[in-house]
mmCIF file of all heavy atoms in Angstrom:
data_model
loop_
_atom_site.group_PDB
_atom_site.id
_atom_site.type_symbol
_atom_site.label_atom_id
_atom_site.label_comp_id
_atom_site.label_asym_id
_atom_site.label_seq_id
_atom_site.Cartn_x
_atom_site.Cartn_y
_atom_site.Cartn_z
ATOM 1 N N ARG A 159 -19.640 -20.681 -0.538
ATOM 2 C CA ARG A 159 -18.709 -19.810 -1.265
ATOM 3 C C ARG A 159 -18.235 -20.407 -2.585
ATOM 4 O O ARG A 159 -17.417 -19.825 -3.288
ATOM 5 C CB ARG A 159 -17.493 -19.483 -0.384
ATOM 6 C CG ARG A 159 -17.793 -18.498 0.719
ATOM 7 C CD ARG A 159 -16.553 -18.146 1.533
ATOM 8 N NE ARG A 159 -16.272 -19.106 2.589
ATOM 9 C CZ ARG A 159 -15.212 -19.900 2.619
ATOM 10 N NH1 ARG A 159 -14.317 -19.871 1.667
ATOM 11 N NH2 ARG A 159 -15.026 -20.738 3.637
ATOM 12 N N ALA A 166 -11.051 -21.460 -8.463
ATOM 13 C CA ALA A 166 -10.398 -21.397 -7.148
ATOM 14 C C ALA A 166 -10.975 -22.472 -6.227
ATOM 15 O O ALA A 166 -12.179 -22.700 -6.214
ATOM 16 C CB ALA A 166 -10.619 -20.020 -6.534
ATOM 17 N N ARG A 167 -10.078 -23.104 -5.462
ATOM 18 C CA ARG A 167 -10.555 -24.093 -4.487
ATOM 19 C C ARG A 167 -11.260 -23.392 -3.336
ATOM 20 O O ARG A 167 -10.985 -22.235 -3.034
ATOM 21 C CB ARG A 167 -9.378 -24.883 -3.917
ATOM 22 C CG ARG A 167 -8.783 -25.890 -4.844
ATOM 23 C CD ARG A 167 -7.414 -26.294 -4.353
ATOM 24 N NE ARG A 167 -6.549 -25.136 -4.287
ATOM 25 C CZ ARG A 167 -5.805 -24.836 -3.232
ATOM 26 N NH1 ARG A 167 -5.834 -25.566 -2.157
ATOM 27 N NH2 ARG A 167 -5.042 -23.761 -3.243
ATOM 28 N N THR A 168 -12.166 -24.101 -2.681
ATOM 29 C CA THR A 168 -12.910 -23.516 -1.564
ATOM 30 C C THR A 168 -12.803 -24.440 -0.359
ATOM 31 O O THR A 168 -13.010 -25.650 -0.480
ATOM 32 C CB THR A 168 -14.399 -23.323 -1.934
ATOM 33 O OG1 THR A 168 -14.472 -22.578 -3.149
ATOM 34 C CG2 THR A 168 -15.132 -22.568 -0.845
ATOM 35 N N TYR A 169 -12.468 -23.857 0.796
ATOM 36 C CA TYR A 169 -12.374 -24.619 2.038
ATOM 37 C C TYR A 169 -13.457 -24.150 3.001
ATOM 38 O O TYR A 169 -13.722 -22.950 3.113
ATOM 39 C CB TYR A 169 -11.010 -24.415 2.700
ATOM 40 C CG TYR A 169 -9.858 -25.034 1.939
ATOM 41 C CD1 TYR A 169 -9.122 -24.278 1.025
ATOM 42 C CD2 TYR A 169 -9.500 -26.360 2.138
ATOM 43 C CE1 TYR A 169 -8.059 -24.835 0.327
ATOM 44 C CE2 TYR A 169 -8.431 -26.925 1.445
ATOM 45 C CZ TYR A 169 -7.708 -26.167 0.548
ATOM 46 O OH TYR A 169 -6.671 -26.717 -0.145
ATOM 47 N N VAL A 202 -0.941 -21.639 -1.065
ATOM 48 C CA VAL A 202 -1.701 -21.874 0.172
ATOM 49 C C VAL A 202 -2.900 -20.932 0.229
ATOM 50 O O VAL A 202 -2.889 -19.862 -0.376
ATOM 51 C CB VAL A 202 -0.849 -21.682 1.449
ATOM 52 C CG1 VAL A 202 0.299 -22.663 1.491
ATOM 53 C CG2 VAL A 202 -0.353 -20.261 1.590
ATOM 54 N N LYS A 203 -3.901 -21.365 0.966
ATOM 55 C CA LYS A 203 -5.098 -20.549 1.163
ATOM 56 C C LYS A 203 -5.335 -20.352 2.647
ATOM 57 O O LYS A 203 -5.362 -21.316 3.413
ATOM 58 C CB LYS A 203 -6.314 -21.253 0.546
ATOM 59 C CG LYS A 203 -6.828 -20.602 -0.732
ATOM 60 C CD LYS A 203 -8.136 -21.254 -1.141
ATOM 61 C CE LYS A 203 -8.896 -20.367 -2.094
ATOM 62 N NZ LYS A 203 -8.218 -20.069 -3.330
ATOM 63 N N MET A 204 -5.493 -19.116 3.071
ATOM 64 C CA MET A 204 -5.675 -18.805 4.500
ATOM 65 C C MET A 204 -6.930 -19.451 5.080
ATOM 66 O O MET A 204 -6.942 -19.857 6.237
ATOM 67 C CB MET A 204 -5.761 -17.293 4.707
ATOM 68 C CG MET A 204 -4.442 -16.588 4.513
ATOM 69 S SD MET A 204 -3.551 -16.341 6.059
ATOM 70 C CE MET A 204 -2.268 -15.224 5.529
ATOM 71 N N THR A 205 -8.009 -19.511 4.268
ATOM 72 C CA THR A 205 -9.266 -20.067 4.807
ATOM 73 C C THR A 205 -9.150 -21.563 5.108
ATOM 74 O O THR A 205 -10.022 -22.120 5.768
ATOM 75 C CB THR A 205 -10.443 -19.837 3.836
ATOM 76 O OG1 THR A 205 -10.058 -20.245 2.522
ATOM 77 C CG2 THR A 205 -10.873 -18.379 3.824
ATOM 78 N N ALA A 206 -8.082 -22.204 4.613
ATOM 79 C CA ALA A 206 -7.875 -23.621 4.927
ATOM 80 C C ALA A 206 -7.224 -23.798 6.289
ATOM 81 O O ALA A 206 -7.186 -24.897 6.829
ATOM 82 C CB ALA A 206 -6.996 -24.270 3.860
ATOM 83 N N LEU A 207 -6.698 -22.692 6.855
ATOM 84 C CA LEU A 207 -5.814 -22.811 8.014
ATOM 85 C C LEU A 207 -6.427 -22.335 9.317
ATOM 86 O O LEU A 207 -5.740 -22.240 10.331
ATOM 87 C CB LEU A 207 -4.529 -22.030 7.747
ATOM 88 C CG LEU A 207 -3.701 -22.566 6.583
ATOM 89 C CD1 LEU A 207 -2.605 -21.593 6.205
ATOM 90 C CD2 LEU A 207 -3.110 -23.931 6.914
ATOM 91 N N PRO A 210 -12.708 -18.921 9.722
ATOM 92 C CA PRO A 210 -12.760 -17.690 8.931
ATOM 93 C C PRO A 210 -13.362 -16.489 9.666
ATOM 94 O O PRO A 210 -13.229 -15.354 9.208
ATOM 95 C CB PRO A 210 -13.612 -18.076 7.718
ATOM 96 C CG PRO A 210 -14.363 -19.287 8.122
ATOM 97 C CD PRO A 210 -13.522 -19.998 9.130
ATOM 98 N N LEU A 213 -10.832 -13.786 10.007
ATOM 99 C CA LEU A 213 -10.534 -13.032 8.788
ATOM 100 C C LEU A 213 -11.595 -11.963 8.526
ATOM 101 O O LEU A 213 -11.289 -10.848 8.112
ATOM 102 C CB LEU A 213 -10.418 -13.974 7.585
ATOM 103 C CG LEU A 213 -9.260 -14.981 7.628
ATOM 104 C CD1 LEU A 213 -9.333 -15.933 6.439
ATOM 105 C CD2 LEU A 213 -7.911 -14.269 7.663
ATOM 106 N N VAL A 338 0.464 -16.951 -1.516
ATOM 107 C CA VAL A 338 -0.769 -16.877 -0.731
ATOM 108 C C VAL A 338 -1.896 -16.456 -1.670
ATOM 109 O O VAL A 338 -1.886 -15.358 -2.223
ATOM 110 C CB VAL A 338 -0.633 -15.876 0.442
ATOM 111 C CG1 VAL A 338 -1.925 -15.828 1.250
ATOM 112 C CG2 VAL A 338 0.538 -16.269 1.340
ATOM 113 N N ASP A 339 -2.855 -17.348 -1.866
ATOM 114 C CA ASP A 339 -3.955 -17.078 -2.799
ATOM 115 C C ASP A 339 -4.850 -15.959 -2.296
ATOM 116 O O ASP A 339 -5.060 -15.814 -1.079
ATOM 117 C CB ASP A 339 -4.814 -18.337 -3.000
ATOM 118 C CG ASP A 339 -4.145 -19.353 -3.916
ATOM 119 O OD1 ASP A 339 -3.144 -18.991 -4.571
ATOM 120 O OD2 ASP A 339 -4.620 -20.499 -3.987
ATOM 121 N N ALA A 340 -5.409 -15.199 -3.235
ATOM 122 C CA ALA A 340 -6.417 -14.192 -2.887
ATOM 123 C C ALA A 340 -7.767 -14.884 -2.715
ATOM 124 O O ALA A 340 -8.027 -15.942 -3.294
ATOM 125 C CB ALA A 340 -6.503 -13.142 -3.992
ATOM 126 N N GLU A 341 -8.645 -14.260 -1.908
ATOM 127 C CA GLU A 341 -9.976 -14.824 -1.684
ATOM 128 C C GLU A 341 -11.021 -13.703 -1.778
ATOM 129 O O GLU A 341 -10.757 -12.652 -2.373
ATOM 130 C CB GLU A 341 -10.007 -15.576 -0.352
ATOM 131 C CG GLU A 341 -8.895 -16.639 -0.279
ATOM 132 C CD GLU A 341 -9.055 -17.674 0.814
ATOM 133 O OE1 GLU A 341 -10.191 -18.129 1.044
ATOM 134 O OE2 GLU A 341 -8.031 -18.019 1.441
ATOM 135 N N GLN A 342 -12.197 -13.921 -1.209
ATOM 136 C CA GLN A 342 -13.277 -12.934 -1.339
ATOM 137 C C GLN A 342 -12.921 -11.617 -0.652
ATOM 138 O O GLN A 342 -12.131 -11.596 0.296
ATOM 139 C CB GLN A 342 -14.579 -13.501 -0.748
ATOM 140 C CG GLN A 342 -15.233 -14.579 -1.598
ATOM 141 C CD GLN A 342 -14.741 -15.981 -1.307
ATOM 142 O OE1 GLN A 342 -13.709 -16.181 -0.641
ATOM 143 N NE2 GLN A 342 -15.454 -16.977 -1.782
ATOM 144 N N THR A 343 -13.567 -10.511 -1.104
ATOM 145 C CA THR A 343 -13.215 -9.175 -0.595
ATOM 146 C C THR A 343 -13.529 -9.001 0.882
ATOM 147 O O THR A 343 -12.958 -8.124 1.527
ATOM 148 C CB THR A 343 -13.947 -8.064 -1.377
ATOM 149 O OG1 THR A 343 -15.344 -8.359 -1.413
ATOM 150 C CG2 THR A 343 -13.416 -7.938 -2.790
ATOM 151 N N TYR A 344 -14.423 -9.804 1.436
ATOM 152 C CA TYR A 344 -14.715 -9.670 2.865
ATOM 153 C C TYR A 344 -13.679 -10.391 3.730
ATOM 154 O O TYR A 344 -13.616 -10.181 4.933
ATOM 155 C CB TYR A 344 -16.146 -10.147 3.203
ATOM 156 C CG TYR A 344 -16.594 -11.429 2.510
ATOM 157 C CD1 TYR A 344 -16.423 -12.671 3.098
ATOM 158 C CD2 TYR A 344 -17.207 -11.363 1.266
ATOM 159 C CE1 TYR A 344 -16.844 -13.825 2.468
ATOM 160 C CE2 TYR A 344 -17.640 -12.512 0.622
ATOM 161 C CZ TYR A 344 -17.454 -13.742 1.218
ATOM 162 O OH TYR A 344 -17.873 -14.887 0.585
ATOM 163 N N PHE A 345 -12.845 -11.234 3.109
ATOM 164 C CA PHE A 345 -11.697 -11.843 3.801
ATOM 165 C C PHE A 345 -10.380 -11.141 3.443
ATOM 166 O O PHE A 345 -9.411 -11.164 4.202
ATOM 167 C CB PHE A 345 -11.519 -13.319 3.398
ATOM 168 C CG PHE A 345 -12.620 -14.245 3.828
ATOM 169 C CD1 PHE A 345 -13.096 -15.228 2.957
ATOM 170 C CD2 PHE A 345 -13.168 -14.166 5.096
ATOM 171 C CE1 PHE A 345 -14.097 -16.106 3.352
ATOM 172 C CE2 PHE A 345 -14.173 -15.048 5.495
ATOM 173 C CZ PHE A 345 -14.634 -16.016 4.616
ATOM 174 N N GLN A 346 -10.326 -10.536 2.249
ATOM 175 C CA GLN A 346 -9.061 -10.159 1.645
ATOM 176 C C GLN A 346 -8.247 -9.101 2.399
ATOM 177 O O GLN A 346 -7.031 -9.209 2.457
ATOM 178 C CB GLN A 346 -9.277 -9.723 0.185
ATOM 179 C CG GLN A 346 -7.994 -9.635 -0.623
ATOM 180 C CD GLN A 346 -7.197 -10.941 -0.612
ATOM 181 O OE1 GLN A 346 -7.755 -12.021 -0.673
ATOM 182 N NE2 GLN A 346 -5.877 -10.825 -0.493
ATOM 183 N N PRO A 347 -8.869 -8.048 2.998
ATOM 184 C CA PRO A 347 -8.029 -7.092 3.739
ATOM 185 C C PRO A 347 -7.165 -7.781 4.796
ATOM 186 O O PRO A 347 -5.979 -7.472 4.942
ATOM 187 C CB PRO A 347 -9.050 -6.139 4.374
ATOM 188 C CG PRO A 347 -10.218 -6.175 3.444
ATOM 189 C CD PRO A 347 -10.283 -7.604 2.960
ATOM 190 N N ILE A 349 -6.282 -11.068 4.855
ATOM 191 C CA ILE A 349 -5.315 -11.967 4.199
ATOM 192 C C ILE A 349 -4.130 -11.162 3.677
ATOM 193 O O ILE A 349 -2.967 -11.528 3.881
ATOM 194 C CB ILE A 349 -6.005 -12.747 3.051
ATOM 195 C CG1 ILE A 349 -7.032 -13.740 3.628
ATOM 196 C CG2 ILE A 349 -4.977 -13.487 2.198
ATOM 197 C CD1 ILE A 349 -7.946 -14.366 2.600
ATOM 198 N N SER A 350 -4.412 -10.035 3.027
ATOM 199 C CA SER A 350 -3.336 -9.206 2.468
ATOM 200 C C SER A 350 -2.446 -8.645 3.563
ATOM 201 O O SER A 350 -1.219 -8.626 3.446
ATOM 202 C CB SER A 350 -3.925 -8.051 1.653
ATOM 203 O OG SER A 350 -4.385 -8.529 0.423
ATOM 204 N N THR A 370 -1.121 -12.119 -3.508
ATOM 205 C CA THR A 370 -1.881 -12.146 -4.762
ATOM 206 C C THR A 370 -2.781 -10.925 -4.837
ATOM 207 O O THR A 370 -3.511 -10.634 -3.886
ATOM 208 C CB THR A 370 -2.720 -13.434 -4.861
ATOM 209 O OG1 THR A 370 -1.847 -14.570 -4.766
ATOM 210 C CG2 THR A 370 -3.472 -13.509 -6.181
ATOM 211 N N GLN A 372 -5.818 -9.063 -6.967
ATOM 212 C CA GLN A 372 -6.892 -9.305 -7.929
ATOM 213 C C GLN A 372 -7.194 -7.997 -8.673
ATOM 214 O O GLN A 372 -7.732 -7.056 -8.102
ATOM 215 C CB GLN A 372 -8.146 -9.798 -7.199
ATOM 216 C CG GLN A 372 -7.916 -11.111 -6.467
ATOM 217 C CD GLN A 372 -9.042 -11.414 -5.490
ATOM 218 O OE1 GLN A 372 -9.342 -10.618 -4.603
ATOM 219 N NE2 GLN A 372 -9.681 -12.559 -5.642
ATOM 220 N N TYR A 374 -9.329 -7.272 -10.925
ATOM 221 C CA TYR A 374 -10.716 -6.870 -11.223
ATOM 222 C C TYR A 374 -11.290 -5.987 -10.106
ATOM 223 O O TYR A 374 -12.382 -5.463 -10.220
ATOM 224 C CB TYR A 374 -11.616 -8.061 -11.507
ATOM 225 C CG TYR A 374 -11.904 -9.051 -10.375
ATOM 226 C CD1 TYR A 374 -11.521 -8.825 -9.054
ATOM 227 C CD2 TYR A 374 -12.594 -10.238 -10.639
ATOM 228 C CE1 TYR A 374 -11.806 -9.731 -8.052
ATOM 229 C CE2 TYR A 374 -12.889 -11.157 -9.643
ATOM 230 C CZ TYR A 374 -12.485 -10.893 -8.359
ATOM 231 O OH TYR A 374 -12.781 -11.807 -7.355
ATOM 232 N N LEU A 375 -10.524 -5.787 -9.034
ATOM 233 C CA LEU A 375 -10.985 -4.916 -7.948
ATOM 234 C C LEU A 375 -10.669 -3.455 -8.252
ATOM 235 O O LEU A 375 -9.596 -3.129 -8.753
ATOM 236 C CB LEU A 375 -10.302 -5.314 -6.630
ATOM 237 C CG LEU A 375 -10.627 -6.703 -6.075
ATOM 238 C CD1 LEU A 375 -9.870 -6.932 -4.779
ATOM 239 C CD2 LEU A 375 -12.120 -6.873 -5.842
ATOM 240 N N ALA A 404 -11.091 -14.423 -9.454
ATOM 241 C CA ALA A 404 -11.876 -15.656 -9.592
ATOM 242 C C ALA A 404 -13.305 -15.565 -9.053
ATOM 243 O O ALA A 404 -14.075 -16.495 -9.216
ATOM 244 C CB ALA A 404 -11.144 -16.797 -8.879
ATOM 245 N N TYR A 405 -13.653 -14.455 -8.389
ATOM 246 C CA TYR A 405 -14.931 -14.440 -7.647
ATOM 247 C C TYR A 405 -15.913 -13.384 -8.154
ATOM 248 O O TYR A 405 -16.790 -12.943 -7.428
ATOM 249 C CB TYR A 405 -14.647 -14.175 -6.153
ATOM 250 C CG TYR A 405 -13.661 -15.137 -5.538
ATOM 251 C CD1 TYR A 405 -12.317 -14.795 -5.388
ATOM 252 C CD2 TYR A 405 -14.062 -16.395 -5.120
ATOM 253 C CE1 TYR A 405 -11.408 -15.673 -4.836
ATOM 254 C CE2 TYR A 405 -13.164 -17.278 -4.562
ATOM 255 C CZ TYR A 405 -11.834 -16.917 -4.420
ATOM 256 O OH TYR A 405 -10.936 -17.798 -3.875
ATOM 257 N N GLN A 408 -19.863 -13.988 -7.920
ATOM 258 C CA GLN A 408 -20.260 -14.085 -6.510
ATOM 259 C C GLN A 408 -20.170 -12.719 -5.823
ATOM 260 O O GLN A 408 -21.074 -12.316 -5.093
ATOM 261 C CB GLN A 408 -19.340 -15.089 -5.818
ATOM 262 C CG GLN A 408 -19.704 -15.403 -4.382
ATOM 263 C CD GLN A 408 -18.604 -16.218 -3.722
ATOM 264 O OE1 GLN A 408 -17.884 -15.732 -2.885
ATOM 265 N NE2 GLN A 408 -18.486 -17.478 -4.108
ATOM 266 N N GLU A 409 -19.096 -11.995 -6.075
ATOM 267 C CA GLU A 409 -18.896 -10.677 -5.442
ATOM 268 C C GLU A 409 -19.984 -9.692 -5.879
ATOM 269 O O GLU A 409 -20.528 -8.954 -5.061
ATOM 270 C CB GLU A 409 -17.515 -10.113 -5.809
ATOM 271 C CG GLU A 409 -16.347 -10.879 -5.236
ATOM 272 C CD GLU A 409 -16.005 -10.469 -3.801
ATOM 273 O OE1 GLU A 409 -16.825 -9.797 -3.147
ATOM 274 O OE2 GLU A 409 -14.916 -10.847 -3.339
#
Side-chain angles (χ1 to χ4, degrees):
R159 286 183 276 113
R167 286 163 300 131
T168 307
Y169 291 94
V202 298
K203 252 188 161 61
M204 288 265 191
T205 49
L207 296 169
L213 296 175
V338 181
D339 284 348
E341 306 196 40
Q342 287 88 346
T343 51
Y344 42 92
F345 294 138
Q346 194 56 39
I349 292 169
S350 284
T370 302
Q372 299 166 303
Y374 66 8
L375 295 180
Y405 305 98
Q408 186 190 108
E409 293 276 15

